[in-house]
Amino acid sequence: MPTVLAAMLCLLLSGCFSWSAEESYKLPKPPQDYKNLVSAVNQTKRELELQHSTSVEDVPPSAGDNTSAVQMLDMDGDGSQETAVTFFRVVGAEMPLRICFYTLQEDGSYALTASIRGEGDGVYAVHYADMDGQKDEVTGKTCKEIVVSWQMGGNAYYLGVYALDGGQSQTLATVTYDSYKIVDLDRDSLMELAVCHIDQEQKLGEVELYNWNTAGLLNVEKAPLSANMTGIWQIRTNYLTDFVPALYIAGDLTDGTRVMDVVTIREGELVNLTLDPDTRDSREGTGQRRDISFSDVNSDSILELPRLWQLPSRGGLSGVWLADWVQYDNRGRAQEVCTTYHNVADGWYLVIPDSWRSRLVIYRNDSVSGQRAVIFALWQGEGKEPLPFLSIYKLTGASRNLRATSANRFILAEDSSTVYAATFYNTWDCGLDQSGLLENFRLIVSSWSND
């Protein structure tokens, strides 16, 4: 057995056993559960090799939250991890991929109880979720379904949804996709599969929501995405202002701009809240700015969408971009929550008070090594220099902590290699003091993993 698989089995199973003080002086021995599972896995590999007269490789998923070579699962929700899952490729077989499920028996052994076959080069990602709520007739327990993204080669993928029933795997659905999410949009405690498709010829996209009821019957709801879309850049699950679940989808258009769609269930139907019904275009987008997307800028656990606008060019200084951030409710109404200046290059943003907007000038000064400064200034009129009232610094290098507290500066945030600091100038009462600036200053958190 490959070293990586053996090591993973030992790591996963060793936590089930305690050791006495006397035993701690002895050479460690693998726990019996580990040995039993290794034996069952090896037997499966030998049988596959004999059946197909070829070799069998370990091919764990390459993406997602579940990438271990061996995965210990509680498939029936009773709090005990009774199931082990492994991933194989039978070289040269017609359907070479295998996902094998082993169930812990009363005597401590593991038995192969089910397997799923797939086509392609490998398992891209795997998920386990209760999708239909059906219960076993004997045990009365529900069993999680398995959602598998199979990689066909290059950038080609397809999804399979499978149920395990009495030791047999049943295919509930198969579908190609451009992007997908597993989410409970209808709030019935069962998960649905949301799949995004892009028709590259017509440049039209849609979301399909695969929803199973407790009788195992499949219903598919559809909602259009923005017209002229060429691809999905990001898809996230979050909430609307009334904490109704929603999908937030960012895509690229044929003209190179970026667009955002918000999809939810309203009155039992899947709807795109941002879509103009006449033009099929989304009302929300970031244009050519591809470095900014939906985000929870005010930390209320609800995503906001940016509406970008540019400050006027003044005194020979080009106007920078600000963002008005809006939240959507379930009726498709957008409400503005705040305005920010996003300094993506330096990794921070600042919530801008309303009183600054009409007279604000922002410019950079990177002339000092290890110091990147952004200056906020007050427009004084034509022919006059803008009046600086605040500077925010990104400081790096060995002397960063000393420079962060010199010349009336104070620290806003820091990490192992960077200190963010600021200083006010006694030129204009901007309405913020040190504590107010600390409250309005935030670091940019790189993607919430597409959650």
Side-chain angles (χ1 to χ4, degrees):
M1 165 165 297
T3 303
V4 63
L5 183 56
M8 187 64 70
L9 285 167
C10 192
L11 176 64
L12 288 169
L13 294 170
S14 60
C16 301
F17 297 85
S18 59
W19 300 87
S20 68
E22 181 180 351
E23 288 172 328
S24 67
Y25 292 98
K26 299 179 181 178
L27 290 175
K29 296 180 180 179
Q32 189 60 44
D33 275 13
Y34 160 75
K35 294 180 179 179
N36 293 341
L37 182 53
V38 168
S39 176
V41 171
N42 280 337
Q43 180 179 346
T44 300
K45 297 181 75 172
R46 285 194 299 269
E47 291 175 353
L48 288 172
E49 288 172 344
L50 289 173
Q51 178 182 353
H52 296 276
S53 300
T54 187
S55 59
V56 176
E57 303 171 341
D58 299 305
V59 286
S62 58
D65 296 329
N66 304 304
T67 57
S68 300
V70 178
Q71 299 175 15
M72 303 301 299
L73 303 173
D74 174 16
M75 291 292 286
D76 57 16
D78 66 353
S80 175
Q81 292 182 327
E82 79 293 332
T83 303
V85 185
T86 59
F87 308 85
F88 302 133
R89 176 168 51 227
V90 183
V91 178
E94 183 177 353
M95 295 186 71
L97 301 176
R98 301 285 192 279
I99 302 177
C100 296
F101 295 82
Y102 302 85
T103 303
L104 181 63
Q105 307 298 300
E106 291 185 0
D107 62 359
S109 64
Y110 278 86
L112 177 65
T113 51
S115 65
I116 297 172
R117 297 186 177 191
E119 296 179 286
D121 297 334
V123 178
Y124 182 70
V126 62
H127 314 268
Y128 312 95
D130 187 5
M131 316 269 307
D132 59 14
Q134 294 193 72
K135 296 182 179 180
D136 187 280
E137 294 181 356
V138 177
T139 65
K141 298 177 181 178
T142 59
C143 185
K144 295 176 181 176
E145 281 66 53
I146 302 95
V147 180
V148 185
S149 171
W150 305 99
Q151 185 165 6
M152 299 298 293
N155 294 319
Y157 306 88
Y158 77 97
L159 287 171
V161 183
Y162 307 92
L164 303 183
D165 184 14
Q168 300 295 320
S169 64
Q170 177 186 359
T171 302
L172 302 183
T174 57
V175 59
T176 58
Y177 71 93
D178 288 281
S179 190
Y180 71 94
K181 272 290 181 182
I182 298 173
V183 60
D184 182 12
L185 276 188
D186 59 9
R187 295 180 288 181
D188 66 350
S189 299
L190 299 177
M191 305 304 287
E192 298 93 48
L193 178 63
V195 181
C196 295
H197 299 278
I198 304 295
D199 186 321
Q200 293 297 337
E201 291 186 1
Q202 300 186 34
K203 299 299 184 288
L204 294 177
E206 68 176 3
V207 180
E208 292 182 339
L209 189 70
Y210 290 75
N211 187 350
W212 287 265
N213 62 22
T214 53
L217 298 177
L218 171 64
N219 179 55
V220 182
E221 292 279 344
K222 298 183 179 182
L225 294 173
S226 299
N228 299 311
M229 189 178 287
T230 61
I232 305 296
W233 176 70
Q234 187 181 33
I235 177 172
R236 287 173 59 175
T237 56
N238 197 254
Y239 300 96
L240 306 171
T241 55
D242 35 15
F243 282 96
V244 172
L247 293 169
Y248 289 76
I249 303 165
D252 296 321
L253 301 183
T254 53
D255 61 2
T257 59
R258 184 153 285 167
V259 69
M260 294 173 290
D261 292 305
V262 180
V263 176
T264 190
I265 290 181
R266 185 174 64 197
E267 298 176 355
E269 294 185 1
L270 193 67
V271 295
N272 187 334
L273 299 177
T274 59
L275 202 66
D276 186 305
D278 297 324
T279 66
R280 285 184 56 92
D281 295 327
S282 174
R283 301 182 182 92
E284 306 295 341
T286 60
Q288 298 292 341
R289 284 290 301 270
R290 304 171 66 84
D291 57 355
I292 190 169
S293 186
F294 32 69
S295 179
D296 182 15
V297 293
N298 62 349
S299 303
D300 65 351
S301 300
I302 298 174
L303 285 179
E304 291 85 39
L305 286 74
R307 292 178 174 176
L308 302 175
W309 58 281
Q310 193 171 19
L311 288 171
S313 298
R314 290 165 169 165
L317 298 172
S318 298
V320 302
W321 290 87
L322 300 184
D324 293 333
W325 294 86
V326 299
Q327 293 177 342
Y328 270 78
D329 67 13
N330 197 39
R331 306 308 301 176
R333 297 171 295 197
Q335 178 182 356
E336 184 177 326
V337 297
C338 67
T339 299
T340 67
Y341 165 69
H342 262 63
N343 183 351
V344 178
D346 293 345
W348 60 266
Y349 66 92
L350 185 70
V351 177
I352 301 297
D354 290 341
S355 59
W356 295 14
R357 293 169 58 114
S358 62
R359 300 176 62 188
L360 185 61
V361 177
I362 303 176
Y363 56 95
R364 298 187 64 92
N365 184 347
D366 298 341
S367 60
V368 179
S369 178
Q371 174 177 296
R372 297 166 65 94
V374 174
I375 297 92
F376 296 80
L378 192 66
W379 175 240
Q380 299 293 293
E382 291 294 340
K384 297 181 180 179
E385 288 291 324
L387 187 66
F389 62 87
L390 168 68
S391 289
I392 295 179
Y393 306 91
K394 178 181 180 180
L395 304 168
T396 57
S399 62
R400 59 185 180 276
N401 289 290
L402 178 62
R403 286 181 290 150
T405 54
S406 64
N408 296 319
R409 297 175 183 174
F410 55 92
I411 294 176
L412 297 170
E414 58 185 312
D415 58 30
S416 59
S417 61
T418 306
V419 178
Y420 299 89
T423 185
F424 286 108
Y425 305 107
N426 296 322
T427 53
W428 178 54
D429 182 5
C430 65
L432 290 181
D433 56 13
Q434 181 173 331
S435 62
L437 187 65
L438 282 165
E439 183 177 343
N440 283 21
F441 179 87
R442 316 278 172 80
L443 295 180
I444 296 174
V445 179
S446 60
S447 178
W448 289 0
S449 109
N450 242 13
D451 64 357

